Amino acid sequence: MRYTIYNDGRTKTIPIGKVAENNYTELAFDITDWINELEIDNCVLVMQRPKDKDPYPAQCEIERDYYRQKAYAVHKITSTDLRDYGNGRCQLQMLSGDVVAKSPVYTTICLISLGDTVAPPAPW
């Protein structure tokens, strides 16, 4: 599932998944305006999980949609990002030489789940 965050300056709460999900949700940040203005060297999503004091960098891939003339910084949410339920935060940061561009700080929400993945019962 892809959740697109548009670069409209508004802060919003981003639903990133449920505890222990892995590689199901993608966050796609619209970076079209930035990429048209700057030559992007690197982009990183700085994440702060619920209950964590310090944020950490999360890998992003830049995707270009030439048909629609759009560009996105995409981060695939992993079980590392979904370790604890509750509200966290994230911010996209892009580097172009010595220029640093940052998105607003967004609130994230990780929903509670009923534990680890359960295997189906064995047939009779």
Side-chain angles (χ1 to χ4, degrees), residues 31-58:
I31 59 169
T32 305
D33 292 341
W34 285 345
I35 218 156
N36 288 336
E37 184 180 330
L38 303 168
E39 186 174 322
I40 304 301
D41 297 329
N42 192 12
C43 116
V44 65
L45 182 63
V46 179
M47 303 275 295
Q48 185 175 19
R49 294 177 292 218
K51 304 177 187 170
D52 279 3
K53 185 175 119 180
D54 297 318
Y56 62 93

Side-chain angles (χ1 to χ4, degrees), residues 3-115:
Y3 187 87
T4 304
I5 299 96
Y6 295 98
N7 189 10
D8 55 11
R10 290 188 259 166
T11 58
K12 49 192 74 103
T13 299
I14 303 170
I16 60 172
K18 296 168 192 73
V19 171
E21 282 184 335
N22 193 48
N23 293 327
Y24 176 65
T25 303
E26 290 181 339
L27 300 183
F29 293 84
D30 183 351
I31 59 169
T32 305
D33 292 341
W34 285 345
I35 218 156
N36 288 336
E37 184 180 330
L38 303 168
E39 186 174 322
I40 304 301
D41 297 329
N42 192 12
C43 116
V44 65
L45 182 63
V46 179
M47 303 275 295
Q48 185 175 19
R49 294 177 292 218
K51 304 177 187 170
D52 279 3
K53 185 175 119 180
D54 297 318
Y56 62 93
Q59 183 177 356
C60 284
E61 303 277 332
I62 295 178
E63 288 183 5
R64 293 177 185 259
D65 182 343
Y66 291 102
Y67 180 72
R68 292 186 180 96
Q69 298 182 342
K70 292 282 192 180
Y72 300 93
V74 180
H75 171 64
K76 192 171 275 200
I77 299 291
T78 67
S79 57
T80 300
D81 303 318
L82 299 170
R83 187 181 68 191
D84 297 312
Y85 69 91
N87 287 357
R89 298 186 303 174
C90 72
Q91 182 180 46
L92 186 65
Q93 299 181 3
M94 298 212 283
L95 308 169
S96 177
D98 63 349
V99 175
V100 179
K102 296 182 180 185
S103 74
V105 175
Y106 298 106
T107 300
T108 60
I109 185 163
C110 176
L111 301 174
I112 196 166
S113 88
L114 293 178

